[in-house]
Amino acid sequence: MDLHDFADIAMNYDLYLPEVTKGSYYLDGFETFHMALAEEYGKSGILDIACGTGALTLPLARAGYDVTALDLSAPMVEITRKKLEGEALQAQLLVSNMADFQIERKFSLAIIARSGFMHLLTAAEQRQTLLNIRAHLTDGGALTFNHFQPHPVIQAQQMQAGPDEYRFRAEYTNCEGKRERISEAHCYDHITQVMRGSWKFETPDDAGNVTTTRIRPQAMRHTYRQEMEYLLELCGYEIVAVYNNYLCDAAWDNFIWVVRKCPVSGLA
């Protein structure tokens, strides 16, 4: 299991995410960027993959787009469902892995937002996912997703780190109205290019003593830009653009890909 598979994570996700990502430049313009892509490519349906708690599902549904959203986390999908119902909005929701979902239709735009692609831990899983999405795209349909540039200094630090070497990440108020501290510990395997670790959620009392602790695992794969370029070519995509952030600055340490399905012999 991964961090996002737990019900307590889903229940608190919208509460802690703003604190965890505070000051993260790469999220500026997140909704505007995707709505512009929807305007350009989304006329024949939008596939919101790794939808989480509906950060894009809801604004796309509000704008009247035909949206199908899926996530591996059933608790996340249920939260999205309740949000849609609360606003009387329509979207098809599925609990499924992005690598092997099957839907009897095609879409003109697919989105994997907020680094969801990085939770694919092998090149084989990445390739399977890209091919599966391609099979669900109309001719010329677009896909956008992002991943971070691997940083050798951070990698070296994580290669030397122990699994219990936590560092403070953020503090927030959870769904029960209690303050929680979030710390994280990560170790990097340069052979598999996978960063594994865990997030620790601690609830202190008024005196600062920890009363409850939850440990939730997390794993993400580091992928280099050149590696991704060849993988996209292998899977039958042409690169439209690659940005550093949702404001469309030139890419250097974060890669937001916009790619398009192209006809390739032998691919679905």
Side-chain angles (χ1 to χ4, degrees):
M1 297 184 73
D2 193 75
L3 177 72
H4 301 95
D5 298 328
F6 291 87
D8 60 287
I9 296 297
M11 291 166 53
N12 289 296
Y13 186 74
D14 291 340
L15 298 173
Y16 74 68
L17 187 68
E19 297 302 321
V20 168
T21 59
K22 186 177 292 184
S24 298
Y25 70 88
Y26 57 85
L27 286 179
D28 292 344
F30 173 82
E31 184 174 318
T32 300
F33 175 87
H34 289 99
M35 294 303 290
L37 281 182
E39 176 68 22
E40 183 172 0
Y41 292 104
K43 300 298 190 299
S44 297
I46 299 174
L47 187 55
D48 184 9
I49 302 169
C51 66
T53 56
L56 285 176
T57 309
L58 268 76
L60 289 169
R62 290 188 196 108
Y65 289 102
D66 175 9
V67 184
T68 297
L70 64 92
D71 199 287
L72 186 60
S73 167
M76 291 261 190
V77 172
E78 184 58 26
I79 288 174
T80 300
R81 186 186 310 278
K82 290 179 179 178
K83 288 181 179 180
L84 289 166
E85 291 174 350
E87 296 188 34
L89 296 172
Q90 297 294 319
Q92 181 181 2
L93 300 179
L94 302 171
V95 177
S96 183
N97 190 315
M98 68 177 79
D100 56 19
F101 67 89
Q102 294 296 321
I103 303 172
E104 296 300 321
R105 61 164 294 186
K106 294 191 176 184
F107 303 83
S108 53
L109 175 62
I111 297 169
I112 311 175
R114 289 181 173 173
S115 308
F117 189 85
M118 295 183 70
H119 291 282
L120 301 168
L121 301 185
T122 68
E125 286 182 343
Q126 292 177 337
R127 183 170 184 262
Q128 181 181 348
T129 295
L130 290 172
L131 288 173
N132 189 36
I133 293 171
R134 186 181 184 280
H136 285 85
L137 287 177
T138 59
D139 291 342
L143 163 67
T144 183
F145 64 98
N146 80 291
H147 64 91
F148 299 110
Q149 168 71 9
H151 196 296
V153 173
I154 296 175
Q155 287 175 330
Q157 293 171 346
Q158 292 178 347
M159 287 169 65
Q160 300 298 320
D164 296 321
E165 294 182 28
Y166 286 93
R167 68 177 183 87
F168 176 77
R169 180 73 181 267
E171 186 171 329
Y172 79 107
T173 301
N174 66 20
C175 60
E176 297 177 347
K178 299 177 181 178
R179 297 296 293 173
E180 279 194 333
R181 293 195 297 259
I182 303 175
S183 302
E184 59 183 359
H186 294 125
C187 300
Y188 181 69
D189 182 341
H190 69 287
I191 302 299
T192 61
Q193 297 176 212
V194 173
M195 177 191 73
R196 295 186 184 275
S198 56
W199 283 28
K200 179 165 62 174
F201 296 81
E202 297 177 308
T203 306
D205 60 20
D206 293 339
N209 301 310
V210 175
T211 58
T212 62
T213 300
R214 303 189 315 282
I215 305 293
R216 299 291 179 252
Q218 186 182 45
M220 303 178 83
R221 187 173 191 270
H222 292 190
T223 304
Y224 294 87
R225 179 173 183 169
Q226 293 87 348
E227 182 183 3
M228 185 58 68
E229 288 172 346
Y230 284 116
L231 185 59
L232 288 167
E233 180 182 353
L234 175 69
C235 293
Y237 293 90
E238 60 178 346
I239 298 170
V240 177
V242 55
Y243 304 112
N244 200 64
N245 52 38
Y246 295 112
L247 301 178
C248 300
D249 293 329
W252 64 282
D253 71 341
N254 181 43
F255 303 115
I256 297 172
W257 300 89
V258 179
V259 301
R260 190 163 48 214
K261 175 180 176 178
C262 57
V264 177
S265 177
L267 291 180

